[in-house]
Amino acid sequence: MPTYTFAFGGFAAPDIDAARTFYRDALGLTVNDEMMGQISIDLPGGGWVLVYPKPDHVPATYTVLNLEVADIDSAVDELVGRGVEMLRYEGFDQDARGISRGIAANQGPDIAWFADPAGNIISVLQNAD
């Protein structure tokens, strides 16, 4: 097996300026300009993700980025206050805020999903203590 020295994730967006604004202003993350029109987003805990331009981008139908929070209710309220719209999925029991409550049912974290301007699906989630 190879010895890996570092890892990072990445996904595409058709409009890097819109992505930069969303991740910086709506989500409050640090966004760095990279070469070749790309941006990197600093993630909590020291990780980062690369967002690269792709004019014919088609968003994935799954979550590409999960952001863990200590208080999902406050996080969702703050995001909605910044203009972020929570997604709703058929088959998931989501409350009025769009949060699927998994902790109380012992079925995983409390989680809410939303999309960036390119349609990439992101979540905020709160794990059990």
Side-chain angles (χ1 to χ4, degrees):
M1 251 340 185
T3 301
Y4 303 107
T5 59
F6 185 73
F8 67 93
F11 52 85
D15 183 341
I16 293 297
D17 290 331
R20 178 187 300 108
T21 299
F22 178 79
Y23 286 96
R24 182 191 61 218
D25 298 346
L27 301 189
L29 297 170
T30 300
V31 177
N32 308 292
D33 289 317
E34 302 293 337
M35 59 180 116
M36 299 187 320
Q38 302 172 98
I39 58 173
S40 64
I41 302 166
D42 294 341
L43 301 174
W48 60 277
V49 65
L50 183 71
V51 182
Y52 52 91
K54 187 171 186 298
D56 61 346
H57 168 70
V58 176
T61 57
Y62 52 85
T63 307
V64 300
L65 182 62
N66 296 287
L67 300 168
E68 187 174 355
V69 295
D71 181 345
I72 194 163
D73 294 287
S74 294
V76 166
D77 289 348
E78 186 170 338
L79 290 170
V80 168
R82 292 177 178 209
V84 175
E85 186 177 327
M86 296 300 127
L87 299 173
R88 303 203 184 263
Y89 292 107
E90 209 171 300
F92 282 87
D93 186 21
Q94 292 172 273
D95 66 15
R97 286 186 170 109
I99 301 169
S100 177
R101 304 284 178 175
I103 293 174
N106 202 22
Q107 297 178 340
D110 289 351
I111 187 167
W113 297 271
F114 55 93
D116 74 2
N120 295 309
I121 301 169
I122 303 159
S123 82
V124 286
L125 60 90
Q126 179 181 336
N127 281 306
D129 293 332

